[in-house]
Amino acid sequence: MRTLIVAEIDTEKSNELITSGKMPEMMGRMMEQLRPEAAYFYPLNGHRGFTLVVDVDQESALVTTMEPLWMRLGAKVTVTPCMSADELRAGIEKLRG
């Protein structure tokens, strides 16, 4: 299932990871694990933030996906199922029956 993950990262925790040099490694592991089809990084509510579009094959995968964001980054995370325009069209066609 295509999923939109929006994370607002705790500034203090991310500052610690940046100054210790661990942030690139952590973000690299996250990107390798999730393999997002799109990734955007930006300021969010005065904090560091990002949006990833990922394919979550099983709901249980959300546990291993979200826990590092909460535990290591102290992030506030929103997870939303989403679809492409083609997928939306296919769904609407099914409604027409």
Side-chain angles (χ1 to χ4, degrees):
M1 167 178 46
R2 183 175 287 117
T3 305
L4 184 70
I5 298 172
V6 178
E8 180 179 329
I9 303 169
D10 177 76
T11 301
E12 189 174 320
K13 284 195 175 198
S14 61
N15 284 348
E16 289 172 12
L17 288 168
I18 289 168
T19 56
S20 71
K22 294 180 182 177
M23 182 65 101
E25 176 187 336
M26 188 192 152
M27 294 302 285
R29 275 188 308 213
M30 182 182 70
M31 298 298 279
E32 186 176 302
Q33 175 194 353
L34 297 176
R35 295 188 183 117
E37 67 180 64
Y40 303 97
F41 302 87
Y42 49 87
L44 179 61
N45 298 321
H47 299 103
R48 295 174 181 98
F50 61 85
T51 297
L52 304 177
V53 180
V54 300
D55 183 29
V56 177
D57 56 352
Q58 296 180 354
E59 288 80 7
S60 61
L62 288 173
V63 174
T64 56
T65 302
M66 298 301 108
E67 285 302 330
L69 298 176
W70 289 319
M71 293 176 70
R72 291 192 172 173
L73 294 175
K76 294 178 183 177
V77 182
T78 303
V79 178
T80 308
C82 60
M83 65 188 88
S84 68
D86 289 339
E87 292 163 335
L88 175 62
R89 276 192 284 282
I92 290 171
E93 284 299 318
K94 289 179 183 178
L95 290 174
R96 293 176 52 187

Coordinates of all heavy atoms in Angstrom, one line a residue:
M1 N 0.8 -1.2 0.0 CA 0.0 0.0 0.0 C 0.9 1.2 0.0 O 1.8 1.4 0.8 CB -0.9 0.0 1.3 CG -1.6 1.2 1.5 SD -2.7 1.2 3.0 CE -1.7 0.5 4.2
R2 N 0.6 2.1 -1.0 CA 1.4 3.4 -1.0 C 1.0 4.2 0.2 O -0.2 4.3 0.5 CB 1.1 4.1 -2.3 CG 1.9 5.4 -2.4 CD 1.7 6.1 -3.7 NE 2.4 5.4 -4.8 CZ 1.7 4.8 -5.8 NH1 0.5 4.9 -5.9 NH2 2.4 4.1 -6.7
T3 N 2.0 4.7 0.9 CA 1.8 5.4 2.2 C 2.6 6.7 2.2 O 3.8 6.7 1.9 CB 2.2 4.5 3.4 OG1 1.5 3.3 3.2 CG2 1.9 5.1 4.7
L4 N 1.9 7.8 2.7 CA 2.6 9.1 2.9 C 3.0 9.2 4.3 O 2.1 9.0 5.2 CB 1.6 10.2 2.5 CG 2.1 11.6 2.5 CD1 3.0 11.8 1.4 CD2 0.9 12.5 2.4
I5 N 4.3 9.3 4.6 CA 4.8 9.5 6.0 C 5.3 10.9 6.1 O 6.2 11.4 5.4 CB 5.9 8.5 6.3 CG1 5.4 7.1 6.1 CG2 6.5 8.8 7.6 CD1 6.6 6.1 6.2
V6 N 4.7 11.7 7.0 CA 5.2 13.0 7.3 C 5.7 13.0 8.7 O 5.0 12.6 9.7 CB 4.0 14.1 7.2 CG1 4.5 15.5 7.6 CG2 3.4 14.0 5.8
A7 N 6.9 13.5 8.9 CA 7.6 13.5 10.2 C 8.1 14.9 10.6 O 8.8 15.5 9.7 CB 8.7 12.5 10.2
E8 N 7.8 15.3 11.8 CA 8.3 16.5 12.3 C 9.3 16.1 13.4 O 9.0 15.5 14.4 CB 7.2 17.4 12.9 CG 7.6 18.7 13.5 CD 6.5 19.5 14.1 OE1 5.3 19.3 13.6 OE2 6.7 20.2 15.1
I9 N 10.6 16.4 13.2 CA 11.7 15.9 14.0 C 11.9 16.8 15.2 O 12.0 18.1 15.0 CB 13.0 15.8 13.2 CG1 12.7 14.8 12.0 CG2 14.1 15.2 14.0 CD1 13.8 14.9 11.0
D10 N 12.1 16.2 16.4 CA 12.5 17.0 17.5 C 13.9 17.7 17.3 O 14.8 17.0 16.9 CB 12.6 16.0 18.7 CG 13.0 16.7 20.0 OD1 12.2 17.5 20.6 OD2 14.2 16.6 20.4
T11 N 13.9 19.0 17.5 CA 15.1 19.7 17.3 C 16.3 19.3 18.2 O 17.4 19.1 17.7 CB 14.9 21.2 17.4 OG1 13.8 21.6 16.5 CG2 16.1 22.1 17.1
E12 N 16.1 19.1 19.4 CA 17.1 18.8 20.4 C 17.7 17.4 20.0 O 19.0 17.2 19.9 CB 16.6 18.7 21.8 CG 17.7 18.6 22.8 CD 17.2 18.7 24.2 OE1 16.4 19.6 24.5 OE2 17.7 17.9 25.1
K13 N 16.9 16.4 19.7 CA 17.4 15.1 19.4 C 18.1 15.1 18.0 O 19.2 14.5 17.9 CB 16.3 14.1 19.3 CG 15.8 13.6 20.7 CD 15.0 12.4 20.6 CE 14.6 12.0 22.0 NZ 14.2 10.6 22.1
S14 N 17.6 15.9 17.1 CA 18.3 15.9 15.8 C 19.6 16.7 15.9 O 20.6 16.3 15.2 CB 17.4 16.5 14.7 OG 16.9 17.8 15.0
N15 N 19.6 17.7 16.7 CA 20.9 18.5 16.9 C 22.0 17.5 17.4 O 23.1 17.6 17.0 CB 20.7 19.6 17.9 CG 20.0 20.8 17.2 OD1 19.8 20.9 16.0 ND2 19.5 21.7 18.0
E16 N 21.6 16.7 18.4 CA 22.5 15.7 19.0 C 23.1 14.8 17.9 O 24.3 14.5 17.8 CB 21.9 14.9 20.1 CG 21.6 15.7 21.3 CD 20.8 14.9 22.4 OE1 20.6 13.7 22.2 OE2 20.3 15.6 23.3
L17 N 22.2 14.3 17.0 CA 22.6 13.3 16.0 C 23.5 14.0 15.0 O 24.4 13.4 14.5 CB 21.4 12.8 15.3 CG 20.6 11.7 16.1 CD1 19.2 11.4 15.4 CD2 21.4 10.4 16.2
I18 N 23.2 15.3 14.7 CA 24.0 16.0 13.7 C 25.4 16.3 14.3 O 26.4 16.1 13.6 CB 23.3 17.4 13.3 CG1 22.1 17.0 12.4 CG2 24.2 18.3 12.6 CD1 21.1 18.2 12.2
T19 N 25.5 16.8 15.5 CA 26.8 17.2 16.1 C 27.6 15.9 16.4 O 28.8 16.0 16.3 CB 26.6 18.0 17.4 OG1 25.8 17.3 18.3 CG2 26.0 19.3 17.1
S20 N 27.0 14.8 16.6 CA 27.7 13.5 16.8 C 28.1 12.9 15.5 O 28.9 11.9 15.5 CB 26.9 12.5 17.7 OG 25.8 12.0 16.9
G21 N 27.6 13.4 14.4 CA 27.9 12.8 13.1 C 27.1 11.6 12.8 O 27.3 10.9 11.7
K22 N 26.1 11.3 13.6 CA 25.3 10.0 13.3 C 24.0 10.3 12.4 O 23.4 9.3 12.0 CB 24.8 9.5 14.7 CG 25.9 9.0 15.5 CD 25.4 8.5 16.9 CE 26.6 8.0 17.7 NZ 26.2 7.5 19.0
M23 N 23.7 11.5 12.2 CA 22.5 11.8 11.4 C 22.6 11.2 9.9 O 21.6 10.6 9.5 CB 22.2 13.3 11.3 CG 20.9 13.6 10.6 SD 19.4 13.0 11.3 CE 18.8 14.4 12.1
P24 N 23.7 11.4 9.2 CA 23.7 10.9 7.8 C 23.6 9.4 7.8 O 22.9 8.8 7.0 CB 25.1 11.3 7.3 CG 25.5 12.5 8.1 CD 24.9 12.2 9.5
E25 N 24.2 8.7 8.8 CA 24.1 7.2 8.8 C 22.7 6.8 9.1 O 22.1 5.9 8.4 CB 25.0 6.7 9.9 CG 24.9 5.2 10.1 CD 25.7 4.7 11.3 OE1 26.7 5.4 11.7 OE2 25.4 3.6 11.8
M26 N 22.0 7.4 10.0 CA 20.7 7.1 10.4 C 19.7 7.3 9.2 O 18.9 6.5 8.9 CB 20.2 7.9 11.6 CG 18.9 7.4 12.1 SD 18.2 8.5 13.3 CE 16.5 8.2 13.1
M27 N 19.8 8.5 8.6 CA 18.9 8.8 7.5 C 19.2 7.9 6.3 O 18.3 7.4 5.6 CB 19.1 10.3 7.1 CG 18.7 11.3 8.1 SD 16.9 11.1 8.6 CE 16.1 11.8 7.2
G28 N 20.5 7.5 6.1 CA 20.8 6.6 5.1 C 20.2 5.2 5.3 O 19.7 4.6 4.3
R29 N 20.3 4.7 6.5 CA 19.6 3.4 6.8 C 18.1 3.5 6.6 O 17.5 2.5 6.1 CB 19.9 3.0 8.3 CG 21.3 2.3 8.5 CD 21.4 1.8 9.8 NE 21.1 2.9 10.8 CZ 21.6 3.1 12.0 NH1 22.4 2.2 12.4 NH2 21.3 4.1 12.7
M30 N 17.5 4.6 7.0 CA 16.1 4.8 6.9 C 15.7 4.7 5.4 O 14.8 4.1 5.0 CB 15.6 6.1 7.5 CG 14.1 6.3 7.4 SD 13.5 7.8 8.1 CE 14.2 9.0 7.0
M31 N 16.5 5.5 4.6 CA 16.2 5.5 3.2 C 16.4 4.2 2.5 O 15.6 3.8 1.6 CB 17.0 6.6 2.5 CG 16.8 8.0 3.0 SD 15.1 8.6 2.7 CE 15.2 9.1 1.0
E32 N 17.4 3.5 2.9 CA 17.7 2.1 2.4 C 16.6 1.2 2.8 O 16.1 0.3 2.0 CB 19.0 1.6 2.9 CG 19.5 0.3 2.3 CD 20.9 -0.1 2.8 OE1 21.8 0.7 2.6 OE2 21.0 -1.1 3.4
Q33 N 16.1 1.2 4.0 CA 15.1 0.3 4.5 C 13.7 0.6 3.8 O 13.0 -0.3 3.4 CB 14.9 0.5 6.0 CG 13.7 -0.4 6.5 CD 13.3 0.0 8.0 OE1 14.0 0.8 8.6 NE2 12.3 -0.6 8.5
L34 N 13.4 1.9 3.7 CA 12.0 2.3 3.2 C 12.0 2.4 1.7 O 10.9 2.3 1.1 CB 11.6 3.6 3.8 CG 11.4 3.6 5.3 CD1 11.1 5.0 5.8 CD2 10.3 2.6 5.7
R35 N 13.1 2.7 1.1 CA 13.2 2.8 -0.4 C 12.0 3.7 -0.9 O 11.2 3.2 -1.7 CB 13.1 1.5 -1.1 CG 14.4 0.7 -0.8 CD 14.4 -0.6 -1.6 NE 15.6 -1.3 -1.2 CZ 15.6 -2.5 -0.7 NH1 14.4 -3.1 -0.5 NH2 16.7 -3.1 -0.3
P36 N 11.9 5.0 -0.5 CA 10.8 5.8 -0.9 C 10.8 6.1 -2.4 O 11.9 6.2 -3.0 CB 11.0 7.1 -0.1 CG 12.5 7.1 0.2 CD 12.9 5.7 0.3
E37 N 9.6 6.2 -3.0 CA 9.6 6.6 -4.4 C 9.7 8.1 -4.5 O 10.0 8.6 -5.5 CB 8.3 6.1 -5.0 CG 7.0 6.8 -4.5 CD 5.8 6.2 -5.2 OE1 5.5 5.0 -5.0 OE2 5.1 7.0 -5.8
A38 N 9.5 8.8 -3.3 CA 9.7 10.3 -3.3 C 10.1 10.6 -1.8 O 9.6 10.0 -0.9 CB 8.5 11.1 -3.7
A39 N 11.0 11.6 -1.7 CA 11.5 12.1 -0.4 C 11.7 13.6 -0.4 O 12.4 14.0 -1.3 CB 12.7 11.3 0.1
Y40 N 11.1 14.3 0.5 CA 11.3 15.7 0.5 C 11.6 16.2 2.0 O 11.0 15.7 2.9 CB 10.0 16.4 0.1 CG 9.6 16.0 -1.3 CD1 8.6 15.0 -1.5 CD2 10.2 16.6 -2.4 CE1 8.2 14.6 -2.8 CE2 9.8 16.2 -3.7 CZ 8.8 15.2 -3.9 OH 8.5 14.8 -5.1
F41 N 12.6 17.1 2.1 CA 13.0 17.5 3.4 C 12.8 19.0 3.5 O 13.2 19.7 2.5 CB 14.5 17.1 3.6 CG 14.7 15.6 3.5 CD1 14.9 15.0 2.3 CD2 14.6 14.8 4.6 CE1 15.0 13.7 2.2 CE2 14.8 13.5 4.6 CZ 15.0 12.9 3.3
Y42 N 12.3 19.6 4.6 CA 11.9 21.0 4.7 C 11.7 21.4 6.1 O 11.5 20.5 7.0 CB 10.7 21.2 3.8 CG 9.6 20.2 4.1 CD1 8.7 20.4 5.2 CD2 9.5 19.0 3.4 CE1 7.7 19.5 5.5 CE2 8.5 18.1 3.7 CZ 7.6 18.3 4.8 OH 6.6 17.4 5.1
P43 N 11.6 22.7 6.4 CA 11.2 23.2 7.7 C 9.7 22.9 7.9 O 8.9 23.0 7.0 CB 11.4 24.7 7.7 CG 12.2 24.9 6.4 CD 12.0 23.8 5.5
L44 N 9.4 22.4 9.1 CA 8.0 22.0 9.4 C 7.6 22.5 10.8 O 8.2 22.0 11.8 CB 7.8 20.5 9.3 CG 6.4 20.0 9.6 CD1 5.4 20.5 8.6 CD2 6.4 18.5 9.5
N45 N 6.8 23.5 10.9 CA 6.4 24.1 12.2 C 7.6 24.5 13.0 O 7.6 24.3 14.3 CB 5.5 23.1 13.0 CG 4.2 22.7 12.3 OD1 3.6 23.6 11.7 ND2 3.9 21.4 12.3
G46 N 8.6 25.0 12.4 CA 9.8 25.5 13.1 C 10.8 24.4 13.5 O 11.7 24.7 14.2
H47 N 10.5 23.2 12.9 CA 11.4 22.1 13.2 C 11.9 21.5 11.8 O 11.4 22.0 10.8 CB 10.7 21.0 14.0 CG 10.3 21.4 15.3 ND1 8.9 21.7 15.6 CD2 10.9 21.6 16.5 CE1 8.8 22.0 16.8 NE2 10.0 22.0 17.4
R48 N 12.8 20.6 11.9 CA 13.2 19.8 10.7 C 12.0 18.9 10.4 O 11.4 18.3 11.3 CB 14.5 19.1 10.9 CG 15.7 20.0 11.1 CD 16.9 19.1 11.5 NE 18.0 20.0 11.7 CZ 18.4 20.4 12.9 NH1 17.8 20.0 14.0 NH2 19.5 21.2 13.0
G49 N 11.8 18.7 9.1 CA 10.7 17.7 8.7 C 10.9 17.1 7.4 O 11.8 17.5 6.6
F50 N 10.2 16.0 7.1 CA 10.3 15.4 5.8 C 9.0 14.7 5.5 O 8.2 14.3 6.4 CB 11.5 14.5 5.8 CG 11.5 13.3 6.7 CD1 10.8 12.1 6.5 CD2 12.2 13.4 7.9 CE1 10.9 11.1 7.4 CE2 12.3 12.4 8.8 CZ 11.6 11.2 8.5
T51 N 8.8 14.4 4.2 CA 7.7 13.6 3.7 C 8.3 12.5 2.9 O 9.2 12.8 2.0 CB 6.7 14.5 2.9 OG1 6.2 15.5 3.8 CG2 5.6 13.6 2.3
L52 N 7.9 11.3 3.1 CA 8.3 10.2 2.3 C 7.0 9.5 1.7 O 6.0 9.4 2.4 CB 9.0 9.1 3.1 CG 10.3 9.6 3.9 CD1 10.8 8.4 4.7 CD2 11.3 10.1 3.0
V53 N 7.1 9.1 0.5 CA 6.1 8.3 -0.1 C 6.7 6.9 -0.3 O 7.7 6.7 -1.0 CB 5.7 8.8 -1.5 CG1 4.6 7.9 -2.1 CG2 5.2 10.2 -1.4
V54 N 6.2 5.9 0.5 CA 6.7 4.6 0.5 C 5.6 3.5 0.2 O 4.5 3.8 0.4 CB 7.4 4.3 1.9 CG1 8.5 5.3 2.2 CG2 6.4 4.3 3.0
D55 N 6.1 2.3 -0.1 CA 5.2 1.2 -0.3 C 5.3 0.3 0.9 O 6.4 -0.2 1.2 CB 5.6 0.4 -1.6 CG 4.6 -0.7 -1.8 OD1 3.4 -0.6 -1.4 OD2 5.0 -1.7 -2.4
V56 N 4.2 0.3 1.7 CA 4.2 -0.6 2.9 C 3.4 -1.8 2.5 O 2.2 -1.8 2.2 CB 3.5 0.1 4.1 CG1 3.4 -0.8 5.3 CG2 4.2 1.4 4.4
D57 N 4.1 -3.0 2.5 CA 3.5 -4.2 2.0 C 2.6 -4.9 3.0 O 1.7 -5.5 2.7 CB 4.6 -5.2 1.5 CG 5.6 -5.5 2.5 OD1 5.7 -4.9 3.6 OD2 6.4 -6.4 2.3
Q58 N 2.9 -4.7 4.3 CA 2.0 -5.2 5.4 C 1.9 -4.2 6.5 O 2.9 -3.5 6.8 CB 2.6 -6.5 6.0 CG 2.7 -7.6 5.0 CD 3.4 -8.9 5.7 OE1 3.8 -8.8 6.8 NE2 3.4 -10.0 4.9
E59 N 0.7 -4.1 7.1 CA 0.5 -3.2 8.1 C 1.5 -3.3 9.3 O 1.9 -2.4 9.9 CB -0.9 -3.3 8.7 CG -2.0 -2.8 7.7 CD -2.3 -3.7 6.6 OE1 -1.9 -4.9 6.6 OE2 -3.1 -3.3 5.7
S60 N 1.9 -4.6 9.6 CA 2.9 -4.8 10.6 C 4.2 -4.1 10.4 O 5.0 -3.8 11.3 CB 3.1 -6.3 10.9 OG 3.6 -6.9 9.7
A61 N 4.5 -3.8 9.1 CA 5.8 -3.2 8.8 C 5.8 -1.7 9.3 O 6.9 -1.1 9.4 CB 6.0 -3.2 7.3
L62 N 4.6 -1.2 9.6 CA 4.6 0.2 10.2 C 5.3 0.2 11.5 O 5.9 1.3 11.9 CB 3.2 0.7 10.3 CG 2.5 1.0 9.0 CD1 1.0 1.3 9.2 CD2 3.1 2.1 8.3
V63 N 5.3 -0.9 12.3 CA 6.0 -0.9 13.6 C 7.5 -0.6 13.4 O 8.0 0.3 14.0 CB 5.8 -2.2 14.3 CG1 6.6 -2.3 15.6 CG2 4.3 -2.4 14.6
T64 N 8.1 -1.4 12.5 CA 9.6 -1.2 12.3 C 9.9 0.1 11.6 O 11.0 0.6 11.7 CB 10.2 -2.4 11.6 OG1 9.5 -2.5 10.3 CG2 10.1 -3.7 12.4
T65 N 8.9 0.6 10.9 CA 9.1 1.9 10.2 C 9.0 3.1 11.1 O 9.8 4.0 11.1 CB 8.1 2.0 9.0 OG1 8.2 0.9 8.1 CG2 8.2 3.3 8.3
M66 N 8.0 3.1 12.0 CA 7.7 4.2 12.8 C 8.6 4.3 14.1 O 9.0 5.4 14.5 CB 6.3 4.2 13.3 CG 5.3 4.3 12.2 SD 5.5 5.8 11.2 CE 6.1 5.2 9.7
E67 N 8.9 3.1 14.7 CA 9.6 3.2 16.0 C 11.0 3.9 15.9 O 11.2 4.7 16.8 CB 9.8 1.7 16.5 CG 8.6 1.1 17.1 CD 8.0 1.9 18.2 OE1 8.7 2.6 19.0 OE2 6.7 1.8 18.4
P68 N 11.8 3.7 14.9 CA 13.0 4.5 14.9 C 12.8 6.1 14.8 O 13.5 6.8 15.4 CB 13.8 4.0 13.6 CG 13.2 2.7 13.4 CD 11.8 2.8 13.8
L69 N 11.7 6.4 14.1 CA 11.4 7.9 14.0 C 11.0 8.4 15.4 O 11.4 9.5 15.8 CB 10.3 8.1 13.0 CG 10.5 7.7 11.6 CD1 9.3 7.9 10.7 CD2 11.7 8.4 11.0
W70 N 10.3 7.6 16.1 CA 9.9 8.1 17.5 C 11.0 8.0 18.4 O 11.3 8.9 19.2 CB 8.7 7.2 18.0 CG 7.4 7.5 17.3 CD1 6.9 8.7 16.9 CD2 6.4 6.5 16.9 NE1 5.7 8.5 16.2 CE2 5.4 7.2 16.2 CE3 6.4 5.1 17.0 CZ2 4.3 6.5 15.7 CZ3 5.2 4.5 16.5 CH2 4.2 5.2 15.9
M71 N 11.7 6.9 18.4 CA 12.7 6.6 19.5 C 14.0 7.4 19.2 O 14.5 8.0 20.2 CB 13.1 5.1 19.5 CG 11.9 4.3 20.0 SD 12.2 2.5 20.0 CE 13.5 2.4 21.3
R72 N 14.5 7.5 18.0 CA 15.8 8.2 17.7 C 15.6 9.6 17.4 O 16.5 10.4 17.7 CB 16.5 7.5 16.6 CG 17.0 6.1 17.0 CD 17.9 5.6 16.0 NE 18.5 4.4 16.4 CZ 19.3 3.6 15.7 NH1 19.5 4.0 14.4 NH2 19.8 2.5 16.1
L73 N 14.5 10.0 16.8 CA 14.3 11.4 16.3 C 13.3 12.1 17.2 O 13.1 13.3 17.0 CB 13.9 11.4 14.9 CG 14.9 10.9 13.8 CD1 14.4 10.9 12.4 CD2 16.2 11.8 13.9
G74 N 12.6 11.4 18.0 CA 11.5 12.1 18.8 C 10.5 12.8 17.9 O 10.0 13.8 18.2
A75 N 10.3 12.1 16.8 CA 9.4 12.7 15.7 C 7.9 12.6 16.0 O 7.5 11.6 16.6 CB 9.7 12.1 14.4
K76 N 7.2 13.6 15.6 CA 5.7 13.5 15.5 C 5.5 13.0 14.1 O 6.0 13.6 13.1 CB 5.1 14.8 15.7 CG 5.3 15.4 17.0 CD 4.6 16.8 17.1 CE 4.9 17.4 18.5 NZ 4.4 18.7 18.6
V77 N 4.8 11.9 14.0 CA 4.6 11.2 12.7 C 3.2 11.1 12.3 O 2.3 10.7 13.1 CB 5.3 9.8 12.7 CG1 5.2 9.1 11.4 CG2 6.7 9.9 13.2
T78 N 2.9 11.4 11.0 CA 1.5 11.1 10.5 C 1.7 10.1 9.3 O 2.6 10.3 8.5 CB 0.9 12.4 9.9 OG1 0.9 13.4 11.0 CG2 -0.5 12.2 9.4
V79 N 0.8 9.1 9.3 CA 0.9 8.1 8.3 C -0.5 8.1 7.6 O -1.5 7.9 8.3 CB 1.2 6.7 8.9 CG1 1.2 5.6 7.8 CG2 2.5 6.7 9.7
T80 N -0.5 8.2 6.3 CA -1.7 8.3 5.5 C -1.6 7.4 4.3 O -0.7 7.6 3.5 CB -2.0 9.8 5.1 OG1 -1.9 10.6 6.2 CG2 -3.3 9.9 4.4
P81 N -2.6 6.5 4.1 CA -2.6 5.8 2.8 C -2.9 6.8 1.7 O -3.6 7.7 1.9 CB -3.7 4.8 3.0 CG -4.4 5.0 4.3 CD -3.6 6.2 5.0
C82 N -2.3 6.6 0.6 CA -2.5 7.5 -0.6 C -2.4 6.7 -1.9 O -2.0 5.5 -1.9 CB -1.5 8.6 -0.6 SG 0.2 8.2 -0.7
M83 N -2.8 7.3 -3.0 CA -2.8 6.6 -4.3 C -2.4 7.6 -5.4 O -2.5 8.8 -5.2 CB -4.1 6.0 -4.5 CG -5.3 7.0 -4.7 SD -6.9 6.2 -4.7 CE -7.3 6.1 -3.0
S84 N -2.0 7.0 -6.5 CA -1.7 7.8 -7.7 C -3.0 8.2 -8.4 O -4.1 7.6 -8.1 CB -0.8 7.0 -8.6 OG -1.5 6.0 -9.2
A85 N -3.0 9.1 -9.3 CA -4.2 9.4 -10.1 C -4.7 8.2 -10.9 O -5.9 8.1 -11.0 CB -3.8 10.6 -11.1
D86 N -3.9 7.4 -11.4 CA -4.3 6.2 -12.1 C -5.0 5.2 -11.2 O -6.1 4.6 -11.5 CB -3.1 5.5 -12.8 CG -2.6 6.2 -13.9 OD1 -3.3 7.1 -14.5 OD2 -1.4 6.0 -14.3
E87 N -4.5 5.1 -9.9 CA -5.2 4.2 -9.0 C -6.5 4.8 -8.6 O -7.5 4.1 -8.4 CB -4.3 4.1 -7.7 CG -3.0 3.2 -8.0 CD -2.0 3.4 -7.0 OE1 -1.9 4.4 -6.3 OE2 -1.1 2.4 -6.9
L88 N -6.6 6.1 -8.4 CA -7.9 6.8 -8.1 C -8.9 6.5 -9.2 O -10.1 6.1 -9.0 CB -7.7 8.3 -7.9 CG -9.0 9.1 -7.7 CD1 -9.7 8.6 -6.4 CD2 -8.6 10.6 -7.7
R89 N -8.5 6.7 -10.5 CA -9.4 6.4 -11.6 C -9.9 5.0 -11.6 O -11.1 4.7 -11.8 CB -8.7 6.7 -13.0 CG -8.7 8.2 -13.4 CD -8.3 8.4 -14.8 NE -6.8 8.3 -15.0 CZ -5.9 9.2 -14.7 NH1 -6.4 10.4 -14.2 NH2 -4.6 9.1 -14.9
A90 N -9.0 4.0 -11.4 CA -9.4 2.6 -11.3 C -10.4 2.4 -10.2 O -11.4 1.6 -10.4 CB -8.2 1.7 -11.1
G91 N -10.2 3.0 -9.1 CA -11.2 2.9 -8.0 C -12.5 3.5 -8.3 O -13.6 2.9 -8.0
I92 N -12.5 4.6 -9.0 CA -13.8 5.2 -9.3 C -14.5 4.4 -10.4 O -15.7 4.2 -10.3 CB -13.5 6.7 -9.9 CG1 -13.1 7.6 -8.7 CG2 -14.8 7.2 -10.5 CD1 -12.6 8.9 -9.1
E93 N -13.8 3.8 -11.3 CA -14.4 2.9 -12.3 C -15.1 1.7 -11.6 O -16.2 1.3 -12.1 CB -13.3 2.4 -13.3 CG -12.9 3.4 -14.3 CD -14.1 3.9 -15.2 OE1 -14.9 3.1 -15.6 OE2 -14.2 5.1 -15.4
K94 N -14.5 1.2 -10.6 CA -15.1 0.1 -9.8 C -16.4 0.5 -9.2 O -17.3 -0.3 -9.0 CB -14.2 -0.5 -8.8 CG -13.0 -1.2 -9.4 CD -12.1 -1.7 -8.3 CE -10.9 -2.4 -9.0 NZ -9.9 -2.9 -8.0
L95 N -16.6 1.8 -8.8 CA -17.8 2.3 -8.2 C -18.9 2.3 -9.2 O -20.1 2.1 -8.9 CB -17.6 3.7 -7.7 CG -16.7 3.8 -6.4 CD1 -16.5 5.3 -6.1 CD2 -17.4 3.1 -5.3
R96 N -18.6 2.5 -10.5 CA -19.6 2.6 -11.6 C -20.2 1.2 -11.8 O -21.2 1.1 -12.5 CB -19.0 3.2 -12.8 CG -18.6 4.7 -12.6 CD -18.0 5.3 -13.7 NE -18.8 5.1 -14.9 CZ -18.3 5.5 -16.1 NH1 -17.2 6.0 -16.3 NH2 -19.1 5.3 -17.2
G97 N -19.5 0.2 -11.4 CA -19.9 -1.2 -11.5 C -20.2 -1.8 -12.7 O -20.8 -2.6 -13.1

